[in-house]
C-alpha cells in the first residue's frame, strides 16, 4: 500500500511538472489527476500535494474542485453513468430512465454500487438533444434511451 | 499527386462515432479494397452536418448524401455507386415529411436550398485534421490578407462596418469590443474564444470546432493582430473531448506551418493559442465566470463594470468572443463589410447557425441568413411538427432563451424584430414544443436546471430560484392560490432586476414569459388540475 | 484626484472619481444599507442589498458601481425598497434565522435590516435543509445555519489575515462555508486570529466566550493597544460590568488596521494565571500580606540602605514607568529581553508598512507566527501578491508554504550574498542574534531595510530609554516584571541578591523568590504610552479597573520615589 501511494504521488508530481511548463492550467491538471485514480476522484492526499506544489492554499483548491460537477471528492465506481438532466431531455422522459436506472443499479444519484462498478450521476446538456433522453457511460453516449433498452446498454459494462 | 475519381467523406464527429462511424469506415475500406477501387476512391474523415439518424457519408462529385445505419448495406452501396455509378436511392438522406404535390427535390437541394452555409462552409466538406484541406478551401487567406495588407485599425473598422454582433447570446457589437481592448493602454492583452457551449440544446459551436477547427484559430489570430493581443485561449467545455482533441491538433499543425507562434507569415506578429478545458459548470459560459475559471478559480461571475475588454483575464484587457462570432470574421476580412452586409437584414447582418430539435420532423444544425421567420425554420427546413400535432411554442435560444408562442411564429429571427416581442435569439437553439407539452412542467425543469447551475454567489439567484421552484412545484400540485401567481411574478421581476449575472436574469425570464403567455394554463392547473401532458401531480381527471 | 459630479436622491454631490456610489454616498451622509460589503474588504457585489435605481430604471449595486459624471441614483425608491424586501425575505427563509435563539440577536446586521424594512413574517416557506455546525474550536463557533454566504469572513481570512483557511465549498444553494477541506475548525489550519468573527454580520461565526453575555450596544467600547508583542496593535475592548467580553482589532489603528492575532484577541480573555492581589512581604521565611503603606516603606528602606541597587525591566511596561524606574535605581538597569546592541545598529530601519510594499523579504532565523501573528499576516499577504519571500531557518518554519525559497541556517552566507543588489528588500530578524550574524547582515546595509522583531510591547521604548546594558552586581534588585514569571537563568542570577523586589501581575516562580511582591496592573488596566518596534508612540487606556489592590507601575514607583 505504502509503495502504491508513493507511486501515485510520483505520477501526480509528474503531471504537475508537465503543466508547470505551460502556465498551470489548473482544471486540465485536475482532470488528468482525477483520471489517474482508479476510483475516479480527487482524494485529499492528491489535493494536499497539488496545494503544496502549486503553492495554492488547500481551502482555495478544495473550493474550486467542489464547484465543478465533473470533479468528485468522493471515490466513484469504475463506470460513471451520467443521465442528461437538461430541460430538453426531460421533455422526453429522462425521469423515467433515471428511475429505471436507480432501480436497476439499486442506488440514487451521486451514489456508487456496493461492488464499486457504477456511479450514477446527473449530467448537464451533452448537445445530443435530438436523441433525447441521453445517457452517457464513461465516454460512450447512448441516445433515445428507454427503460427497456437499459439492460442491453448496461450489460457490456457489468463485471464478468 | 494521386488523383481519385471519387471522394467519400465520412462524418466522424462524436455523434457519428457513437452511431458506428468507425465500423462503417472500416467496412467501406474493406469493400472498396474488395472491389479493387482503392486507387479510385478516397475516404476522408469530416465532421457531420448535424443530420441526426445514422452516419452521414457524402460522395463527391455530386455531393450526394447517404445516411448509413447498417453495415450490411455497404457492399451494395460500394458496388452500385462507387463501382457502377448508380446512386443508391434507398440509402439517400430522406426526411419524414408530409407528402407534397410537386415532385420532391433532391436531398442536397432540400437541405441547402433554405440555408446559406458561411460559418459552416467547410464543415462536412474537409478533413478537420488536415490543415492542407483547410488551406485548399482558402483557409488562412484572411489571416494573410490581414497581416500583409491591413492595419489593425482597418481590421477593426471592417468588423465594425460589417455590423457583426456577438453570437453568444448578448449580441454586443464585436468590432466595438475589439476597439475597447485595442485602445486600452494595458498589456499584455488576451483573446479568449468562448467555447463553453453549455446552453441546453445548443451544439453549433461543437459542430464548428469538430468540423472546421482551423477557422477559429485563424480568426483568433486576426483578432489578436487587430487588438494587439499576443496570447489566445480557447475555453472548451470539459465534456467536449473530441473538440479539444481536434483543436489541439489544429493548433499544432498551424504552428508547424508558421501560421501560429513567432513571427507569423514573416510579418513580425507573434501570437499563440492554448486550449483550456472546463469541468462541468454552465455559468462558466458567462464571460467573466469563464475568465475566473480560466484563472483556475471557481467559475463565479464578476461584477461589471469593469468589463473584460479593459479588465479581463489576470486583470488585463481581454476580448471574449463566441466560436460562431469568430467564424464570421474570416469572410468579413476576406470579402469586406459591404459583401457581408448584404446577408441578413438591417441591424442583424450575416447568418445564424441554429440547432433545430424537439417536436419537429427534421432535427439538426442549420445555418440561415438573419430575417428568416421561425415558421419557415420549423415548417420549411424542419418539415413541421410530427404526428400532425399543432405547435404550442418554440423556446428560442436554449434554456436561457425566450418563449415564442405559436402566434408569434412569424417573427423574423433578427435582433430588432425579436426585441419587439420582448425576446432574444440567445444561442440559436430552437426547441419546438407541441400542444401536448405542459408549460408548468417545462418551467419546473428549467428552474431545476438553473437551481443546479447557479453559482450561489448572489442572493436573488441562489435563493430566489429555489424559492420560485418551490412555488412552481406547488402550481403543478394545484396547491397554491391563483393570487400567488402575482407574487411569483414579483419575485421573478426582483430576481431579474437584481441578479449579478445573466444566469439569474435568464431563470427569472423563463418564469415571466411562462406567465406572460401561458397564465391560463397555470390557472387551470390550480383550479381544475388539468395538465395537457397529464404529467403534473394535481391532475384530477377520472 | 479628479472630481465627479453626480446625483443621489436628486441632490448634487461631488466626489472623487475613483469612488463607488456607496462610498460617495457615505461621505455625503446618505445611508445605503449593506450586508456583504465591509469598508475594509474589497467589494463583492453578492448580497444585492445595496441596490440603487439609476435613471433608466435599472438596479445596480452601490458597492460596485463607480461614480460617473451625470449619474443619477435613487437609494430608497419604491423599486429599490421592494427589491431589498424580497432579498431580505429570501435570506430570512434560506437558513435558520429564528432570531430569538441566536446569541447575536441585537447585534445582527441581517436582523437590523429586517427591522429597517419591516420584515415581520416569512414570505417564503422557511428553511428545510440543515447545514453543519462546528463547535470544535477553542474560541470560535461556526454555525452554517446562520450563514448568509456574504463571504466577508472568507475575504477577511485571505485578504486581511493572509491565512486562506476559510472557503466556500460546493455551489448554488448547497454552498457552504468551510475551513480547509471541510475539516473541523479545531484541526484546520486556523491560527485563531478571529478576524472572521469580527466581520461576520450574523451569528454564523461568533466568539464562544461572549455567547449570551449581552449585546454590543449595552457594552462600553474602549480603545487601547496590545502590548503582547512589539507591533502594538490597536484594539477595541468591549466591556460590561467591568469585564472584558470581547476584543476587536481597531479598524482605525494605523498599525494593524483591524486585524489581530490570537495573543491580542483571545489570550487576554482566556488568561487563567493567578493575579498578585495584595502587596506581600517575606518575613522570616514566611509570606505575609501587608498594606500598601508598609510595602512602600519597606521598598524605600531597602533602596535607601544599599549602595548597590539595580533594576530589571520586562518591557511590557509603559515609557512613563521606565523613566521613573531608572531614577529609582540610579540608572543601573537592564532589559529582560535578549537584545544584542549591535543588532539594533543595522540601518535603515524598516517600518511595518514596508512589509506589504517590499520587493523581497528575508526572514532571518525568526518565525513571526510564534509571537507576532500580525506580522505573519502581512508577510503572507505580501507573498501572495508576489513579494519574494526567503526564509533562513528550520524546515518546519510556519511560513514555508508561502516562501519562494527556504534555506537551512548553514546556508546563511549564501542567502545574504544573494540579497546583495536586491534594492527595496527588507530583513526581518531577531534583535538577539549573535554578532556573527550581525556582521553578516551588515553587508546588506544600504540595500535592504531592517526590522528587528521585538518580543514585548515596549521593548523599543525600553531600548530608546537606554535599557540595553548589563546589570552590575547589586545587593538589592528591583524587577519591573509586569506579566513575566522568570526563567531558570534569571532565577540563578538572582541567587546572591540580598533583597529582591518584584512588581508583577501574576504569581510565578519569580514572585516565589521575591522578598517583596508589589501587585501591578496588567496592560488592560493601565494607562501610559509604549513605543512600538517602528518607533510609533502609542497610548494605552485602562479598559477595566485594577484587580484587587493592584496599582499601575507608574503609581507604585511614584509612591516609592517620594520616600527616597
Amino acid at each position: 500500500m505504502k509503495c502504491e501511494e508513493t507511486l501515485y504521488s510520483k505520477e501526480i508530481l509528474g503531471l504537475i511538472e508537465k503543466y508547470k511548463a505551460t502556465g498551470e492550467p489548473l482544471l486540465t491538471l485536475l482532470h488528468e489527476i482525477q483520471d489517474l485514480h482508479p476510483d475516479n476522484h480527487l482524494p485529499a492526499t492528491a489535493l494536499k500535494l497539488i496545494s503544496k506544489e502549486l503553492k495554492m492554499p488547500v481551502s482555495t483548491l478544495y473550493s474550486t474542485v467542489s464547484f465543478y460537477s465533473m470533479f468528485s471528492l468522493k471515490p466513484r465506481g469504475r463506470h460513471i453513468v451520467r443521465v442528461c438532466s437538461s430541460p430538453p431531455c426531460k421533455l422526453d422522459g429522462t425521469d423515467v430512465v433515471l428511475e429505471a436506472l436507480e432501480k436497476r443499479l439499486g442506488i440514487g444519484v451521486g451514489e456508487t454500487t456496493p461492488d464499486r462498478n457504477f456511479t450514477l450521476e446527473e449530467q448537464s446538456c451533452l448537445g445530443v438533444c435530438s436523441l433525447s433522453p441521453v445517457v452517457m457511460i464513461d465516454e460512450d453516449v447512448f441516445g433515445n434511451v428507454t427503460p427497456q433498452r437499459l439492460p442491453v446498454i448496461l450489460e457490456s459494462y457489468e463485471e464478468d | 499527386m494521386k488523383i481519385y475519381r471519387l471522394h467519400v467523406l465520412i462524418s466522424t464527429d462524436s455523434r457519428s462515432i457513437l452511431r458506428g462511424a468507425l465500423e462503417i469506415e472500416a467496412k467501406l475500406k474493406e469493400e472498396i479494397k474488395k472491389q479493387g477501387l482503392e486507387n479510385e476512391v478516397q475516404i476522408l474523415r469530416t465532421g457531420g452536418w448535424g443530420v441526426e439518424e445514422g452516419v452521414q457519408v457524402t460522395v463527391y462529385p455530386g455531393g450526394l448524401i447517404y445516411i448509413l445505419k447498417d453495415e450490411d448495406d455497404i457492399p451494395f452501396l460500394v458496388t452500385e455507386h462507387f463501382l457502377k455509378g448508380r446512386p443508391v436511392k434507398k440509402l439517400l438522406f430522406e426526411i419524414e415529411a408530409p407528402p407534397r404535390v410537386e415532385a420532391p427535390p433532391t436531398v442536397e437541394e432540400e437541405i441547402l436550398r433554405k440555408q446559406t452555409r458561411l460559418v459552416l462552409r467547410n464543415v462536412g466538406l474537409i478533413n478537420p485534421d488536415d490543415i492542407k484541406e483547410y488551406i485548399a478551401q482558402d483557409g488562412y487567406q484572411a489571416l494573410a490578407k490581414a497581416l500583409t495588407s491591413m492595419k489593425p485599425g482597418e481590421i477593426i473598422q471592417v468588423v465594425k462596418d460589417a455590423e457583426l454582433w456577438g453570437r453568444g447570446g448578448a449580441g454586443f457589437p464585436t468590432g466595438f469590443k475589439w476597439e475597447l481592448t485595442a485602445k486600452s493602454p494595458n498589456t499584455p492583452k488576451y483573446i479568449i474564444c468562448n467555447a463553453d457551449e453549455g446552453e441546453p440544446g445548443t451544439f453549433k459551436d461543437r459542430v464548428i470546432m469538430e468540423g472546421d477547427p482551423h477557422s477559429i484559430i485563424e480568426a483568433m489570430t486576426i483578432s489578436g493582430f487587430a487588438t494587439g493581443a499576443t496570447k489566445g485561449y480557447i475555453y472548451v467545455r470539459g465534456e467536449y473531448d473530441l473538440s479539444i482533441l481536434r483543436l489541439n491538433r489544429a493548433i499544432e499543425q498551424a504552428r508547424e506551418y508558421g501560421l501560429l507562434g513567432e513571427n507569423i507569415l514573416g510579418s513580425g506578429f507573434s501570437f499563440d493559442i492554448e486550449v483550456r478545458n472546463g469541468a462541468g459548470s454552465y455559468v462558466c459560459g458567462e464571460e467573466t465566470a469563464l475568465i475566473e475559471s480560466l484563472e483556475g478559480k471557481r467559475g463565479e461571475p464578476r461584477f461589471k463594470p469593469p468589463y473584460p475588454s479593459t479588465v479581463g483575464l489576470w486583470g488585463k484587457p481581454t476580448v471574449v468572443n463566441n466560436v460562431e462570432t469568430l467564424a464570421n470574421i474570416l469572410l468579413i476580412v476576406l470579402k469586406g463589410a459591404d459583401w457581408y452586409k448584404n446577408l441578413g437584414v438591417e441591424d442583424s447582418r450575416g447568418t445564424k447557425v441554429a440547432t433545430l430539435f424537439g417536436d419537429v420532423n427534421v432535427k439538426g444544425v442549420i445555418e440561415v441568413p438573419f430575417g428568416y421567420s421561425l415558421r419557415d425554420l420549423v415548417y420549411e427546413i424542419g418539415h413541421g411538427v410530427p404526428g400532425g400535432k399543432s405547435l404550442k411554442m418554440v423556446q428560442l435560444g436554449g434554456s436561457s432563451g425566450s418563449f415564442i408562442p405559436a402566434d408569434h411564429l412569424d417573427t423574423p429571427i433578427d435582433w430588432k424584430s425579436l426585441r419587439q416581442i420582448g425576446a432574444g435569439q440567445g444561442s440559436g437553439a430552437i426547441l419546438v414544443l407541441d400542444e401536448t407539452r405542459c408549460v408548468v412542467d417545462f418551467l419546473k425543469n428549467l428552474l431545476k436546471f438553473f437551481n443546479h447551475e447557479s453559482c450561489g454567489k448572489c442572493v436573488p439567484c441562489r435563493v430566489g430560484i429555489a424559492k420560485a421552484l418551490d412555488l412552481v412545484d406547488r402550481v403543478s400540485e394545484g396547491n397554491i392560490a391563483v393570487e400567488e401567481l402575482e407574487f411569483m411574478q414579483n419575485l421573478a421581476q426582483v430576481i431579474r432586476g437584481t441578479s449579478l449575472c445573466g444566469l439569474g436574469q435568464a431563470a427569472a425570464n423563463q418564469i415571466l414569459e411562462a406567465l406572460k403567455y401561458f397564465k391560463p394554463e397555470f390557472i387551470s392547473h390550480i383550479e381544475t388540475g388539468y395538465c395537457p401532458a397529464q404529467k403534473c401531480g394535481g391532475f384530477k381527471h377520472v | 484626484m479628479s472630481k465627479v459630479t453626480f446625483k443621489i436622491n436628486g441632490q448634487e454631490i461631488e466626489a472623487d472619481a475613483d469612488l463607488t456610489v456607496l462610498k460617495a454616498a457615505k461621505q455625503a451622509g446618505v445611508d445605503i444599507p449593506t450586508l456583504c460589503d465591509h469598508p475594509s474588504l474589497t467589494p463583492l457585489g453578492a448580497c444585492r442589498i445595496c441596490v440603487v435605481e439609476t435613471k433608466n430604471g435599472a438596479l445596480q449595486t452601490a458597492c460596485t458601481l463607480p461614480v460617473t459624471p451625470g449619474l443619477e441614483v435613487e437609494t430608497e425608491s419604491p423599486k429599490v425598497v421592494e427589491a431589498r424586501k424580497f432579498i431580505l425575505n429570501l435570506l430570512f427563509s434560506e437558513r435558520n434565522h429564528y432570531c430569538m435563539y441566536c446569541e447575536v440577536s441585537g447585534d445582527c446586521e441581517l436582523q437590523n435590516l429586517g427591522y429597517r424594512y419591516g420584515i415581520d413574517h416569512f414570505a417564503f416557506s422557511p428553511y428545510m435543509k440543515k447545514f453543519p455546525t462546528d463547535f470544535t474550536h477553542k474560541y470560535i463557533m461556526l454555525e452554517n445555519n446562520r450563514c448568509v454566504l456574504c463571504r466577508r469572513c472568507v475575504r477577511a481570512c485571505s485578504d486581511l489575515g493572509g491565512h486562506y483557511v476559510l472557503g466556500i465549498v460546493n455551489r448554488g444553494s448547497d454552498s457552504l462555508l468551510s475551513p480547509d477541506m471541510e475539516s473541523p475548525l479545531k484541526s484546520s489550519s486556523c491560527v485563531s486570529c478571529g478576524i472572521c468573527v469580527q466581520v461576520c454580520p450574523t451569528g454564523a461565526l461568533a466568539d464562544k466566550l461572549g455567547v449570551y453575555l449581552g449585546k454590543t450596544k449595552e457594552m462600553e467600547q474602549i480603545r487601547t493597544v496590545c502590548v503582547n508583542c512589539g507591533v502594538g496593535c490597536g484594539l477595541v475592548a468591549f466591556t460590561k460590568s467591568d469585564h472584558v467580553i470581547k476584543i476587536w482589532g481597531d479598524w482605525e489603528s494605523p498599525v494593524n488596521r483591524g486585524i489581530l492575532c490570537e495573543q491580542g484577541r483571545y489570550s487576554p480573555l482566556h488568561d487563567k494565571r493567578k493575579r498578585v492581589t495584595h502587596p506581600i512581604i517575606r518575613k522570616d521565611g514566611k509570606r505575609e500580606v501587608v498594606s500598601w503603606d508598609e510595602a512602600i516603606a519597606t521598598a524605600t528602606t531597602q533602596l535607601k540602605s544599599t549602595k548597590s541597587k539595580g533594576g530589571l525591566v520586562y518591557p511590557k511596561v509603559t515609557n512613563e514607568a521606565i523613566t521613573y524606574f531608572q531614577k529609582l535605581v540610579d540608572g543601573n538597569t537592564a532589559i529582560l529581553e535578549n537584545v544584542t546592541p549591535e543588532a539594533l545598529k543595522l540601518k535603515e530601519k524598516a517600518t511595518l508598512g514596508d512589509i506589504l510594499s517590499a520587493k523581497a523579504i528575508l526572514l532571518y532565523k525568526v518565525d513571526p507566527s510564534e509571537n507576532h501573528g500580525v506580522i505573519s499576516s502581512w508577510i503572507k499577504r505580501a507573498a501572495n501578491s508576489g513579494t519574494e519571500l526567503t526564509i533562513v531557518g528550520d524546515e518546519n518554519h510556519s511560513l514555508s508554504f508561502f516562501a519562494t525559497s527556504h534555506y537551512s541556517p548553514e546556508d546563511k552566507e549564501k542567502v545574504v550574498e544573494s540579497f546583495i543588489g536586491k534594492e527595496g528588500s527588507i530583513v526581518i530578524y531577531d534583535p538577539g542574534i549573535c554578532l556573527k550574524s550581525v556582521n553578516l547582515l551588515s553587508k546588506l546595509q544600504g540595500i535592504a531595510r531592517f526590522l528587528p522583531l521585538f518580543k514585548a510591547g515596549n521593548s523599543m521604548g525600553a531600548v530608546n530609554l537606554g535599557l540595553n546594558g548589563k546589570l552590575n552586581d547589586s545587593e538589592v534588585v528591583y524587577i519591573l516584571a509586569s506579566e513575566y514569571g522568570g526563567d531558570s537563568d534569571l532565577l540563578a542570577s538572582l541567587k546572591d541578591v540580598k533583597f529582591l523586589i518584584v512588581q508583577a501581575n501574576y504569581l510565578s516562580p519569580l514572585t516565589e523568590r521575591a522578598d517583596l511582591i508589589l501587585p501591578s496592573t496588567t496592560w488592560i488596566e493601565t494607562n501610559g504610552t509604549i513605543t512600538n518596534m517602528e518607533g510609533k508612540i502609542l497610548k494605552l487606556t485602562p479598559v477595566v479597573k485594577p484587580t484587587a489592590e493592584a496599582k499601575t507601575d507608574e503609581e507604585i514607583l511614584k509612591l516609592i520615589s517620594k520616600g527616597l
Side-chain angles (χ1 to χ4, degrees), chain B residues 280-282 298 300 303-305 451-460 462-464 466-468 470-471 487 490-491 494-495 497-501, chain C residues 43-48 51 59-61 64-66 82-83 86-87 90-91 93-94 123-127 148-149 151 168-173 175:
Chain B
S281 163
Y282 168 77
R298 292 165 67 86
E300 289 172 352
F303 56 77
K304 296 188 248 187
N451 193 35
H452 181 252
E453 295 295 346
S454 166
C455 79
K457 185 171 172 179
C458 79
V459 177
R462 180 183 77 232
V463 196
K467 296 297 177 188
D470 215 35
L471 293 170
F487 178 68
N490 292 344
L491 169 65
V494 170
I495 298 175
T498 60
S499 287
L500 175 63
C501 82
Chain C
L44 185 69
C47 75
R48 321 304 281 175
V51 285
L59 295 174
Q60 298 260 30
T61 44
T64 62
L65 185 66
E82 198 204 1
F86 258 103
I87 291 165
L90 289 170
L91 277 174
S93 61
E94 187 186 18
F124 299 98
S125 52
Y127 91 120
V148 290
L149 297 169
R151 305 191 191 184
I168 298 290
V169 300
N170 306 327
R171 70 180 188 211
S173 47
S175 299

Side-chain angles (χ1 to χ4, degrees), chain B residues 360-407:
Chain B
V360 62
N361 279 315
V362 175
K363 305 170 184 182
V365 181
I366 54 173
E367 183 176 354
V368 289
F370 281 108
Y372 259 74
S373 77
L374 276 167
R375 189 180 301 282
D376 282 350
L377 292 182
V378 175
Y379 286 95
E380 298 296 319
I381 292 180
H383 286 86
V385 181
K389 288 181 197 156
S390 66
L391 181 143
K392 179 173 196 162
M393 61 166 276
V394 165
Q395 195 190 32
L396 178 62
S399 294
S400 67
S402 313
F403 280 38
I404 315 280
D407 44 349

Side-chain angles (χ1 to χ4, degrees), chain A residues 44 47-48 51-52 55-60 62-63 66-69, chain C residues 164-171 179-182 400-404:
Chain A
L47 293 183
K48 279 183 192 157
S51 153
K52 200 177 142 214
K55 291 214 179 288
M56 177 182 259
V58 81
S59 63
T60 312
Y62 189 89
S63 174
S66 71
F67 183 87
Y68 296 97
S69 61
Chain C
Y164 292 90
V165 178
L166 294 173
I168 298 290
V169 300
N170 306 327
R171 70 180 188 211
D180 291 350
M181 302 198 276
E182 294 189 68
S400 57
F401 178 86
F402 297 88
T404 326

Side-chain angles (χ1 to χ4, degrees), chain B residues 162-177:
Chain B
E163 295 170 19
L164 173 65
W165 292 11
R167 303 289 197 254
F172 196 78
T174 305
F176 189 58
K177 239 186 199 180

Side-chain angles (χ1 to χ4, degrees), chain B residues 5-267:
Chain B
R5 178 169 59 84
L6 284 176
H7 299 271
V8 177
L9 280 64
I10 176 159
S11 71
T12 50
D13 56 25
S14 42
R15 271 170 311 160
S16 305
I17 288 173
L18 23 125
R19 282 189 204 84
L22 298 181
E23 290 78 3
I24 288 194
E25 186 193 29
K27 185 77 181 171
L28 273 171
K29 280 186 176 158
E30 187 193 317
E31 282 303 316
I32 287 166
K33 208 174 168 191
K34 215 184 263 175
Q35 303 284 357
L37 296 171
E38 61 264 51
N39 290 327
E40 292 175 52
V41 183
Q42 184 190 24
I43 293 192
L44 296 164
R45 289 182 172 191
T46 72
W49 272 16
V51 178
E52 285 304 328
E53 313 86 8
V55 176
Q56 176 194 341
V57 173
T58 314
V59 184
Y60 285 89
L64 287 178
I65 296 172
Y66 290 106
I67 299 299
L68 300 181
K69 296 171 194 164
D70 194 345
E71 281 181 45
D72 297 343
D73 290 334
I74 290 171
F76 185 65
L77 173 73
V78 171
T79 325
E80 280 297 294
H81 188 163
F82 298 180
L83 189 66
K84 301 177 184 163
R86 295 191 292 233
V88 182
K89 212 169 171 209
K90 68 162 186 173
L91 297 176
L92 280 174
F93 178 43
E94 273 184 295
I95 39 184
E96 209 183 291
R100 295 185 178 208
V101 181
E102 73 267 36
T106 68
V107 177
E108 185 191 18
E109 274 178 78
E110 183 65 47
I111 295 174
L112 293 179
R113 200 179 49 179
K114 299 273 177 187
Q115 299 194 41
T116 307
R117 295 216 162 200
L118 292 182
V119 168
L120 303 178
R121 65 194 175 279
N122 289 329
V123 174
L125 300 180
I126 63 165
N127 176 359
D129 284 335
D130 189 351
I131 190 170
K132 281 182 277 183
E133 296 207 9
Y134 179 69
I135 292 171
Q137 298 292 328
D138 288 345
Y140 290 103
Q141 285 297 312
L143 177 64
K145 181 179 175 188
L147 290 183
T148 55
S149 67
M150 293 174 89
K151 292 202 180 79
E154 288 174 63
I155 302 172
I156 291 174
Q157 196 55 47
V158 76
V159 174
K160 276 170 86 176
D161 289 346
E163 295 170 19
L164 173 65
W165 292 11
R167 303 289 197 254
F172 196 78
T174 305
F176 189 58
K177 239 186 199 180
W178 287 17
E179 193 169 44
L180 283 174
T181 300
K183 279 186 178 162
S184 174
N186 287 338
T187 50
K189 299 174 186 181
Y190 299 101
I191 308 293
I192 294 176
C193 169
N194 183 349
D196 188 59
E197 192 178 42
E199 192 62 58
T202 310
F203 42 97
K204 62 181 178 74
D205 294 345
R206 195 192 59 192
V207 169
I208 299 170
M209 288 187 283
E210 289 178 2
D212 196 13
H214 282 286
S215 66
I216 301 159
I217 293 162
E218 185 181 359
M220 283 177 77
T221 312
I222 292 172
S223 172
F225 179 66
T227 57
T230 47
K231 182 88 197 222
Y233 293 95
I234 309 176
Y235 184 96
V236 190
R237 274 186 80 178
E239 289 90 342
Y240 280 6
D241 286 333
L242 187 64
S243 299
I244 294 167
L245 190 80
R246 292 223 166 127
L247 285 168
N248 273 323
R249 220 174 262 164
I251 287 171
E252 264 170 50
Q253 289 177 1
R255 281 189 196 133
E256 270 170 38
Y257 276 67
L259 297 164
L260 198 60
E262 294 292 316
N263 190 15
I264 297 169
L265 293 171
S267 65

Side-chain angles (χ1 to χ4, degrees), chain C residues 7-24:
Chain C
K7 272 186 184 171
I8 297 183
N9 301 333
Q11 178 201 345
E12 224 164 63
I13 282 174
E14 202 190 52
D16 285 346
D18 65 341
L19 289 186
T20 59
V21 169
L22 181 67
K23 284 191 177 132

Side-chain angles (χ1 to χ4, degrees), chain B residues 8 19 192 245 270 321 353 510 512 515 521 535:
Chain B
V8 177
R19 282 189 204 84
I192 294 176
L245 190 80
S270 299
N321 281 153
V353 182
Q510 307 310 311
L512 293 171
L515 284 170
E521 199 171 314
K535 241 183 173 174

